[in-house]
Amino acid sequence: MSDTPTEYAFGMIGLGTMGRNLLLNMADHGFAVAGYDKSQKQIDLLGQEGKDKPVKGFSDPAAFVNSLKTPRAIMMLVPAGAIVDSVIAEMTPLLSPGDMLIDGGNSYYTDTTRRDKELGDKGLHFFGMGVSGGEEGARFGPSMMPGGDAEAYKIMEPVFDAIAAKVDGEPCVAYMGPGAAGHFVKMVHNGIEYGLMELIAETYGVLKTGLGLDDAAIGEVFTKWNEGRLQSFLIDITKDIFAFKTPDGDHLLLNDIKDEARAKGTGKWTSQVAMDIQAPIPTVDTAVSMRDLSKYKQLREQLGQQYLPAAGHLAGDKDELLGQLEQAFYFSMVITYAQGMHMLSRASEEFKYDLQLATIARVWRGGCIIRSTFLNDIYNAYKSDNKLAHLLLDGGVQKLVQESAGGARAIAVAAIAAGLPVLAYTSAIGYFDAFRTGRLPSNLIQAQRDYFGAHTYELIGKEGTFHTQWTGLRNAPESAPGTQANQAPPVPKE
């Protein structure tokens, strides 16, 4: 590097792909930055890639900390879990009150809540920040979701505004809320990402097996979609994957990749937490389950031989089915985003995050993995009404859903008839139909629960909680112990 400063404005712990590229991004915007890693290889890479930039790597933690301007601002980009705590333990004795630690990894939100309190008690500022965009985003403009210590974020705001992706001149970064709000928003982002990826994978299955298209034709479908209302980062990279051939140029690399999907856990966390706060996200749940199911390769092959015939072609005109498939994907994509936004709304109430859903949608419009043209519609919906109870209540979104629901149903019916697995598609339809049903058959579940476990139930138009002795004589509902409700009217004899 040139003109080595004696003090650096920002420090990064962890010089892997994300950490290194974020540092270089900052250096490109005129910030003098330092990095620390235990691996000399990563330090050397930083030196090579940061040649002639105001950036320096350190292998000694004390030297690294002492090179930073005070109050110090340090970000950690290391694997979530115990490693984050070990880095904090290593750094804390070297820091001074007023210094700032930022966790930029995919930490579980309750860990962030705990660390926020522990470091606050020691006089250190802390905030957790979700970072999305992968290697390219980190280098040239990510989407960032910081939350926690608001005063600490204000200090770093000019740096993050400078390096974030920009949409319509606005940086794709904003303060999310107190505590673990930033990491919670990033977790839900990843859950939506799981859902969208599963939908794209199922679409691939429909195109390949259900419609019998060859690889080139499938690539053309995704290319066409990416030029219209389905334009998004995930569709964009999918079209590229269908153009990438093996080194010998013989065939697509995709066809050599084993059909067992891996995961790092953020999708599973999203499903688990959604159940804890009673926020239904069945398309995300399905996506997590399908990654798990895909790992049973040998069992799937065995069952495929036992339960012949295999999946067949979709019945109908190919061009008409392609049009319906575009509608089906659009519908299911909208529903997947809607599930995630509803979960954020519930979490905001549950954890007092005061999340601004319009701001979250704005931040997601650029730099992140789930960026798409549709996020502008989400942004506009919540900008008009930030207290919107559910995205599907927005009039503009309602029109889009109603226009595409027919195609979603047609593809689901055709795929099921042909024996094609489209679990994410059908879960999206089921979610939509359930949420627009004013009277669900769930009253039967309550009656069953009361029958076998005396779990009680509530009555329409009558205050209180009731229990019935369902066997023997036909008894009237009785107020459950500990309630002040009046007894319901006697059940008439038949």
Side-chain angles (χ1 to χ4, degrees), residues 338 381-382 385 387-398 401 435:
Y382 287 107
D385 181 6
K387 300 300 181 183
L388 194 65
H390 199 290
L391 183 62
L392 294 178
L393 291 172
D394 177 74
V397 172
Q398 177 186 353
V401 167
F435 247 119

Side-chain angles (χ1 to χ4, degrees), residues 88-129:
I88 290 174
E90 179 184 32
M91 287 293 121
T92 301
L94 303 174
L95 301 177
S96 305
D99 288 348
M100 182 190 321
L101 269 178
I102 304 158
D103 180 3
N106 280 327
S107 287
Y108 191 55
Y109 79 104
T110 55
D111 289 338
T112 301
T113 302
R114 168 178 56 81
R115 291 164 186 151
D116 184 27
K117 184 180 185 308
E118 290 173 354
L119 289 169
D121 291 344
K122 296 178 181 179
L124 298 172
H125 298 291
F126 178 80
F127 64 90
M129 183 169 74

Side-chain angles (χ1 to χ4, degrees), residues 5 10 33 55 95 122 156 199 303 350 426 484:
F10 187 84
V33 292
V55 57
L95 301 177
K122 296 178 181 179
M156 291 306 304
L199 285 169
L303 288 170
E350 184 78 15
T426 54
Q484 300 299 315

Side-chain angles (χ1 to χ4, degrees), residues 2 73 84 91 121 132 146 169 180 200 317 431 449 451:
S2 61
V84 176
M91 287 293 121
D121 291 344
S132 180
I200 294 172
D317 178 77
Y431 175 89
R449 293 179 71 246
Y451 188 114

Side-chain angles (χ1 to χ4, degrees), residues 100-102 112 116 125-130 143-158 160-161 164 171-186 344 348 351-364 386:
M100 182 190 321
L101 269 178
I102 304 158
T112 301
D116 184 27
H125 298 291
F126 178 80
F127 64 90
M129 183 169 74
S143 172
M144 293 176 284
M145 296 145 261
D149 191 324
E151 293 304 311
Y153 175 67
K154 285 181 181 178
I155 297 171
M156 291 306 304
E157 189 172 9
F160 294 137
D161 280 356
C172 292
V173 59
Y175 179 71
M176 295 288 106
H183 275 147
F184 195 97
V185 171
K186 178 56 163 55
L344 289 172
S348 188
F351 304 123
K352 312 301 181 193
Y353 285 154
D354 192 27
L355 297 176
Q356 303 300 305
L357 299 187
T359 299
I360 293 171
R362 175 178 67 77
V363 165
W364 285 352
N386 197 57

Side-chain angles (χ1 to χ4, degrees), residues 307-387:
Y307 288 92
L308 293 171
H313 289 296
L314 271 60
D317 178 77
K318 185 176 291 186
D319 290 337
E320 183 179 359
L321 287 166
L322 280 170
Q324 291 171 337
L325 185 59
E326 190 272 350
Q327 290 183 351
F329 184 85
Y330 190 79
F331 172 90
S332 302
M333 175 194 71
V334 171
I335 297 299
T336 302
Y337 279 111
Q339 291 174 17
M341 300 308 288
H342 186 232
M343 180 175 176
L344 289 172
S345 177
R346 284 287 303 118
S348 188
E349 296 174 14
E350 184 78 15
F351 304 123
K352 312 301 181 193
Y353 285 154
D354 192 27
L355 297 176
Q356 303 300 305
L357 299 187
T359 299
I360 293 171
R362 175 178 67 77
V363 165
W364 285 352
R365 290 184 306 165
C368 74
I369 302 300
I370 65 170
R371 64 185 184 267
S372 68
T373 296
F374 179 64
L375 271 161
N376 286 311
D377 296 282
I378 300 178
Y379 172 60
N380 291 330
Y382 287 107
K383 190 177 180 182
S384 298
D385 181 6
N386 197 57
K387 300 300 181 183

